[in-house]
Amino acid sequence: MIRDTIINILVETKNKFTINELEDKVMQKFSSLDKYDRAGGYLGFYQIVQSLHEEGEIIPLKANEESSKVPSLPLKWKKRTNEVSQSWSDLQFVRAEAGNLNVAFYKRHPEMQTELEWGRIETVLQFLPTRDSRIYISKEERSYELFGQEKWLDKKEDGDRFLKRIGITLEDFRAKSYGEPFVFWQNPLSNSSKQALIVENLSAFHTIKRALITFNHIYNLQVDVLIYGEGYHIMRSFPFIDEVGAPEKIYYAGDLDPHGLSILIDLCKNYPEYPLLPAENLYRAMIRNHSQTTPANGEFLTTVLQDFLSRLKTDEETTRAIKDLWDCKRRIPQEAVNFETISKECNDGYI
């Protein structure tokens, strides 16, 4: 998957580029660092760049520096250039421009002037005059109608890049992108939806659900709606929060690691109109009850840590514990708190 992403990016990039610019663009195609890592991460990126070099598709510049990552790559590169003559007629370009399509990319890249690509442009030109009379349907439905593939317009597919090339949006297609709803549990002991709790992991979802049924709270936090965030999936599914009653407060608890902290920070930045807060008592319980820490993956960005800590109203001991994890590149998963832990602390007076 990374190889296809790199090739598509190279088609649209300028002749000379740096390896850092290329990897940044590749990472942006994934919705999270975790997904990039699972697809192969930097090592996969390195191997594909080496392969493209061996195939002669990209060439390192002379008098070059090395990148800072290990294994390192030459910093500056250029694409192999082939002289390709224009294959679309001037009349085709005039027709596309008359339909308010941006075809500058195809003039710069004649190798993209294929019969298949023109067929797609023709499809767009036929649809646009009818758009005012069309009703909104899902992106997948419109993609199937126009291009014969329901997923072709997805962000990671060619269709998304095609639309950007010609200056068209989903709005022009009268198409909407709907996220996948999250799994949630409505507390039967509550008759409102004022407070919601989102948890990153599935095991934590079931444990906290069990605790709420037993104690009707989790570490003194009243929860009316419990939501399984499913890692970074919550970034796409979060808009469905309004369908569970538009809570007045929305708490979040995830793993104490770069990914877990980043999810909360990204939620706050992408949905600033919602009252999102860290579930501090749960984080304190994780620190208090962890039996060991484990090595953490991801980028330990100081900005993420500082942003997360600025949202806490906790004691210095907890703050120091989180900073120590960050400095040592260690993590505590949500599984540090289990139902046995919760039951024992309830009996000991913690909750």
Side-chain angles (χ1 to χ4, degrees):
M1 184 173 178
I2 290 182
R3 181 184 174 90
D4 292 340
T5 302
I6 290 175
I7 291 172
N8 285 322
I9 289 171
L10 286 173
V11 168
E12 300 183 15
T13 200
K14 55 190 177 183
N15 185 44
K16 293 182 180 180
F17 60 92
T18 70
I19 205 67
N20 294 337
E21 291 171 345
L22 181 60
E23 190 187 15
D24 285 345
K25 290 178 181 178
V26 171
M27 292 171 68
Q28 288 170 14
K29 295 296 181 181
F30 293 85
S31 58
S32 69
L33 286 174
D34 185 50
K35 290 187 177 180
Y36 175 62
D37 289 339
R38 289 204 300 266
Y42 175 73
L43 184 58
F45 173 81
Y46 169 86
Q47 292 169 341
I48 293 162
V49 168
Q50 290 284 59
S51 176
L52 291 172
H53 178 209
E54 291 170 3
E55 295 166 16
E57 295 297 329
I58 55 175
I59 305 162
L61 299 183
K62 295 179 180 179
N64 214 337
E65 303 173 38
E66 291 287 307
S67 66
S68 59
K69 293 194 174 181
V70 179
S72 65
L73 287 164
L75 187 61
K76 298 177 182 179
W77 295 74
K78 67 178 180 179
K79 297 190 297 183
R80 182 182 67 181
T81 54
N82 295 322
E83 291 297 326
V84 180
S85 59
Q86 177 176 312
S87 57
W88 292 352
S89 69
D90 291 340
L91 187 61
Q92 285 175 296
F93 279 106
V94 170
R95 170 165 162 67
E97 289 169 338
N100 293 318
L101 301 188
N102 185 345
V103 289
F105 172 84
Y106 297 99
K107 292 179 179 179
R108 295 194 307 269
H109 296 275
E111 71 276 8
M112 291 293 292
Q113 295 177 23
T114 64
E115 184 177 343
L116 176 62
E117 195 79 351
W118 179 256
R120 291 166 178 161
I121 288 178
E122 190 65 50
T123 296
V124 175
L125 289 171
Q126 291 175 15
F127 177 86
L128 291 180
T130 72
R131 62 184 168 185
D132 290 341
S133 64
R134 307 298 292 268
I135 63 173
Y136 283 92
I137 60 176
S138 75
K139 173 185 63 179
E140 291 78 12
E141 291 164 343
R142 191 69 79 200
S143 181
Y144 176 74
E145 174 197 346
L146 297 178
F147 304 105
Q149 300 176 48
E150 67 274 16
K151 295 183 179 180
W152 195 69
L153 290 176
D154 284 352
K155 282 191 174 181
K156 294 176 187 173
E157 300 296 331
D158 291 338
D160 181 64
R161 289 182 286 274
F162 170 70
L163 294 190
K164 289 176 181 176
R165 286 199 290 269
I166 62 175
I168 293 296
T169 66
L170 290 178
E171 177 71 21
D172 295 313
F173 278 164
R174 296 299 185 264
K176 287 186 176 291
S177 181
Y178 297 101
E180 183 180 341
F182 47 66
V183 173
F184 72 95
W185 174 76
Q186 184 83 42
N187 189 343
L189 301 176
S190 169
N191 57 7
S192 73
S193 299
K194 290 184 177 180
Q195 294 200 149
L197 171 62
I198 303 171
V199 293
E200 180 181 352
N201 301 335
L202 184 60
S203 60
F205 174 84
H206 288 295
T207 293
I208 293 173
K209 174 183 173 182
R210 187 178 175 188
L212 291 171
I213 292 172
T214 305
F215 305 112
N216 197 25
H217 63 87
I218 178 72
Y219 291 105
N220 292 320
L221 177 63
Q222 300 292 329
V223 178
D224 304 309
V225 180
L226 179 64
I227 297 168
Y228 169 39
E230 197 177 349
Y232 281 96
H233 180 267
I234 192 65
M235 298 303 301
R236 300 189 303 277
S237 62
F238 185 82
F240 286 90
I241 195 77
D242 292 331
E243 297 190 14
V244 299
E248 295 175 6
K249 289 185 178 180
I250 305 169
Y251 293 92
Y252 183 86
D255 297 331
L256 280 169
D257 63 13
H259 298 309
L261 270 59
S262 293
I263 293 170
L264 173 60
I265 301 308
D266 289 345
L267 279 173
C268 292
K269 289 180 178 178
N270 289 325
Y271 303 101
E273 67 274 24
Y274 289 89
L276 281 151
L277 300 164
E280 295 191 38
N281 286 353
L282 275 169
Y283 286 116
R284 277 197 287 268
M286 289 164 60
I287 293 170
R288 190 169 60 244
N289 290 290
H290 76 278
S291 59
Q292 58 184 313
T293 62
T294 56
N297 297 319
E299 289 192 84
F300 288 79
L301 300 176
T302 303
T303 52
V304 171
L305 176 63
Q306 291 175 342
D307 197 338
F308 178 79
L309 293 177
S310 71
R311 299 174 189 276
L312 298 179
K313 299 176 182 177
T314 191
D315 55 275
E316 290 186 12
E317 184 179 349
T318 301
T319 300
R320 171 46 53 194
I322 296 173
K323 286 182 177 179
D324 287 345
L325 284 172
W326 208 260
D327 292 340
C328 297
K329 293 182 170 50
R330 309 288 289 183
R331 67 188 292 270
I332 299 175
Q334 286 190 291
E335 286 74 10
V337 174
N338 56 50
F339 190 71
E340 282 185 335
T341 303
I342 296 169
S343 298
K344 181 179 183 301
E345 294 203 312
C346 179
N347 293 330
D348 290 346
Y350 273 106
I351 57 175

